[in-house]
Amino acid sequence: MRRLWLIFAQTVTVCLGILFLVATLRPQWLPGGASEHKAVPMAPAAAGAPSSYAAAVARAAPSVVNIYTTKHVDVPLVPLPADPRLEQFLRGLPGFTRREATTSLGSGVIVRADGAILTNYHVIEAADAIEVRLHDGRQAAAKLIGADPESDLAVLKIGLPDLPAIAFDPDPSVRVGDVVLAIGNPFGVGQTTTLGIVSAVGRNRLGLNTYEDFIQTDAAINPGNSGGALIDTRGELVGINTAIYSETGGSLGIGFAIPAAAAHHILDEILEHGRVRRGWLGLEPQDITPDLAQAFGLKDTRGAIVARILPGGPAARAGVRVGDVIRSLNGQPVEDAYDLVNRLAPLPADSTARLALLRQGRTLKLDVRVGIRPPARMPRR
């Protein structure tokens, strides 16, 4: 019996060895081998997905312009000391500095056929001269109509005929995952288009502007793209490219654009009133930290603490005090200081804002007459 078992075990071992060699060297000899494999077709591309965005770019590109600015700065003739007061004193001495012209570049978008152009404020800030070059090669000097440093937008105007205004959806719907294209003049190499998607919407608290509600995209945005167009696959304006997050100075796939709807509202305000009018109460709100919540005896950190009040301002006249906790505005809960400032901005002047406050453990309701936020200071040109 033992002999029969050894013969059986040896036979199985030899057969397995032969099967392994055949499967490795001649798999087609086996049933269901490579010769019988059938190619499986790949899934077709999603219905309606374009293979090219050339039509969208052709529609929008003529509306995107290159902007060149010149400004004169005082350049010290010798290295300046580290002491700021001594530096300021030395800068004021005659012959210590010389006046030099510097140039910078950016992009802009023609938004009206009459020559109105939207760009970033930081592109034209303190510029002595602004030159615009169109997609078709024409050039013109631009006039600054108005600027809004708090949103980093500015409106220029040029006097050329037959200007192609970019298409704009008055009620754009931008979703995370939508394909977008950024058009601008990165590094001064000439008009360039990059592709990406919308990575996020409603980005704020980045410390870039006073009012922030950015579209985030991974479409490459580099220095010189500022003020250019972010468009959708139809060639319509989605946003104005304004900033990037970068540790190297180049694109890392995190760019930010001001939504087109907000940009057009600012455009209309500047063209009609010379500046952007925003609701204002004359107070400085502060977020409620856990430590402040404990000190004020609050159950949560929702709301905003009044940190400072402008004497004679709307809030002061209505009886708001430093230390009051604003819990709601016009019946809607206030989440934090940023939420309060952004919800006050669209309120019209002379309208009434009803505040629900906590003051020393008591709930108060005050009606405040909304004023107009004073314009931010701009450097002299």
Side-chain angles (χ1 to χ4, degrees):
M1 187 68 183
R2 184 170 178 274
R3 184 177 179 185
L4 291 175
W5 172 252
L6 290 174
I7 293 173
F8 173 76
Q10 291 174 351
T11 302
V12 169
T13 301
V14 171
C15 291
L16 289 174
I18 294 173
L19 181 62
F20 174 76
L21 291 174
V22 171
T24 303
L25 302 177
R26 292 290 187 272
Q28 63 272 22
W29 291 357
L30 300 175
S35 61
E36 298 184 12
H37 286 173
K38 295 182 179 180
V40 179
M42 295 182 64
S51 58
S52 172
Y53 300 99
V57 175
R59 185 184 185 192
S63 304
V64 181
V65 301
N66 299 340
I67 296 177
Y68 302 89
T69 62
T70 303
K71 66 179 70 175
H72 291 82
V73 296
D74 293 324
V75 179
L77 299 175
V78 296
L80 291 173
D83 188 337
R85 291 174 297 179
L86 183 56
E87 176 186 343
Q88 185 176 3
F89 171 75
L90 292 174
R91 281 185 179 275
L93 295 178
F96 188 78
T97 61
R98 69 171 180 269
R99 196 79 167 159
E100 287 189 359
T102 63
T103 59
S104 60
L105 56 89
S107 303
V109 184
I110 301 173
V111 288
R112 293 195 179 184
D114 62 0
I117 295 173
L118 268 174
T119 186
N120 286 139
Y121 169 68
H122 73 260
V123 170
I124 54 85
E125 182 179 0
D128 296 313
I130 305 171
E131 188 80 13
V132 171
R133 180 177 297 170
L134 275 64
H135 185 258
D136 60 12
R138 290 183 292 171
Q139 292 184 225
K143 177 183 178 182
L144 176 63
I145 302 300
D148 183 43
E150 294 182 310
S151 66
D152 195 23
L153 284 174
V155 178
L156 308 177
K157 198 162 188 179
I158 56 176
L160 293 176
D162 302 323
L163 294 174
I166 198 165
F168 166 69
D169 183 354
D171 186 24
S173 177
V174 181
R175 303 167 301 170
V176 175
D178 284 352
V179 174
V180 288
L181 300 99
I183 307 178
N185 181 23
F187 299 107
V189 299
Q191 191 175 92
T192 303
T193 302
T194 54
L195 173 70
I197 64 168
V198 174
S199 306
V201 294
R203 285 287 193 231
N204 53 49
R205 295 182 175 275
L206 302 176
L208 299 174
N209 305 329
T210 303
Y211 295 95
E212 297 179 344
D213 183 24
F214 291 119
I215 299 169
Q216 181 182 328
T217 178
D218 64 349
I221 297 175
N222 288 293
N225 269 109
S226 292
L230 188 71
I231 64 170
D232 60 19
T233 55
R234 297 173 298 178
E236 295 185 353
L237 185 67
V238 168
I240 302 294
N241 301 323
T242 190
I244 60 173
Y245 171 81
S246 177
E247 296 178 350
T248 63
S251 174
L252 295 180
I254 304 178
F256 303 101
I258 300 168
H264 268 260
H265 171 72
I266 291 170
L267 168 73
D268 293 339
E269 284 282 307
I270 290 176
L271 291 179
E272 185 175 352
H273 305 288
R275 68 183 184 92
V276 180
R277 302 175 304 166
R278 294 187 174 94
W280 175 75
L281 298 185
L283 58 82
E284 181 182 325
Q286 179 180 340
D287 286 343
I288 302 175
T289 64
D291 291 339
L292 285 175
Q294 184 177 4
F296 280 80
L298 304 176
K299 296 180 180 179
D300 54 48
T301 60
R302 182 175 56 82
I305 294 177
V306 178
R308 188 170 68 89
I309 293 180
L310 179 71
R317 292 195 299 268
V320 180
R321 300 178 185 175
V322 172
D324 287 348
V325 179
I326 301 176
R327 300 290 268 182
S328 73
L329 170 64
N330 292 335
Q332 299 297 320
V334 172
E335 296 299 324
D336 51 29
Y338 183 85
D339 180 41
L340 176 64
V341 170
N342 278 271
R343 285 170 52 194
L344 283 172
L347 297 181
D350 295 328
S351 63
T352 299
R354 169 156 287 194
L355 301 179
L357 309 173
L358 286 179
R359 179 183 295 170
Q360 297 178 350
R362 295 184 299 117
T363 300
L364 301 175
K365 290 188 177 179
L366 295 177
D367 289 337
V368 185
R369 189 174 183 180
V370 178
I372 298 179
R373 184 180 177 89
R377 292 183 178 181
M378 294 187 293
R380 294 179 180 178
R381 297 185 60 207

